Amino acid sequence: MFNGLKLRVYQYAGSGNYFLDISARTAVISITLTTDGNVNFGTVALNASKDTTPSGINDPENIRVDAGPADLAIRSTDFSDGSNNWNLGTSSGSNQIKWDFSKDGSIWTNFAAAGTNYPFDSAVSEFDTRDLHLRLTLPTSTLSNNAHSATVTIVATTP
């Protein structure tokens, strides 16, 4: 329970106006994504994988911390064609896609659930950049062979 706060200011020396700032300072964080806003994996067979590494389609996204430092997290939606959804999962299945991300293209983290923030990198210094690689494994079977898409969001917070 908060009972209130009393602050007393006494003159130490001299005379004049006194100023007391009790505002909360908040850090400014700013990031820039270098991307065309689209990762086109093209046509991928059921239960097959593609990624954005140089040995894949060579289309990494780039995140730059303009004002920081910043902790970076990442989240994704499920995939949809407007009427059929492919849910995110730890493995591919019927209408279930395996969707992963990586900083370096060798250590991958799985988007196991839509709308969940997953740590990407911590205490990224101002003006530093990080590559974001994505890898998908299509469902083993699906009710729709139309093009599906998902939205990936980068979340920046103070360390």
Side-chain angles (χ1 to χ4, degrees), residues 1-155:
M1 180 177 195
F2 180 75
N3 290 325
L5 173 70
K6 290 184 181 181
L7 177 66
R8 293 183 184 177
V9 178
Y10 296 96
Q11 176 181 349
Y12 176 72
S15 63
N17 296 328
Y18 295 91
F19 176 76
L20 175 64
D21 183 359
I22 58 171
S23 62
R25 290 187 58 169
T26 57
V28 175
I29 298 174
S30 174
I31 62 173
T32 299
L33 300 177
T34 305
T35 176
D36 57 6
N38 187 27
V39 175
N40 188 356
F41 287 102
T43 302
V44 182
L46 289 177
N47 206 30
S49 297
K50 273 197 178 175
D51 63 53
T52 62
T53 64
S55 62
I57 63 170
N58 198 22
D59 187 17
E61 307 307 303
N62 185 270
I63 305 162
R64 176 186 159 146
V65 176
D66 297 321
D71 288 344
L72 302 175
I74 186 170
R75 70 174 173 253
S76 179
T77 62
D78 285 326
F79 281 69
S80 178
D81 70 356
S83 61
N84 176 259
N85 286 337
W86 293 342
N87 297 317
L88 303 180
T90 57
S91 63
S92 62
S94 178
N95 285 307
Q96 181 171 296
I97 195 165
K98 187 171 185 293
W99 184 224
D100 306 304
F101 65 92
S102 174
K103 287 189 297 188
D104 59 12
S106 64
I107 299 171
W108 295 90
T109 302
N110 178 247
F111 291 108
T116 300
N117 285 350
Y118 294 93
F120 181 67
D121 204 348
S122 59
V124 180
S125 298
E126 189 169 78
F127 307 121
D128 276 358
T129 61
R130 296 294 184 267
D131 283 339
L132 167 63
H133 296 281
L134 298 165
R135 176 177 68 187
L136 68 91
T137 304
L138 262 58
T140 55
S141 63
T142 181
L143 298 174
S144 169
N145 289 317
N146 295 329
H148 284 62
S149 62
T151 300
V152 172
T153 303
I154 307 298
V155 179

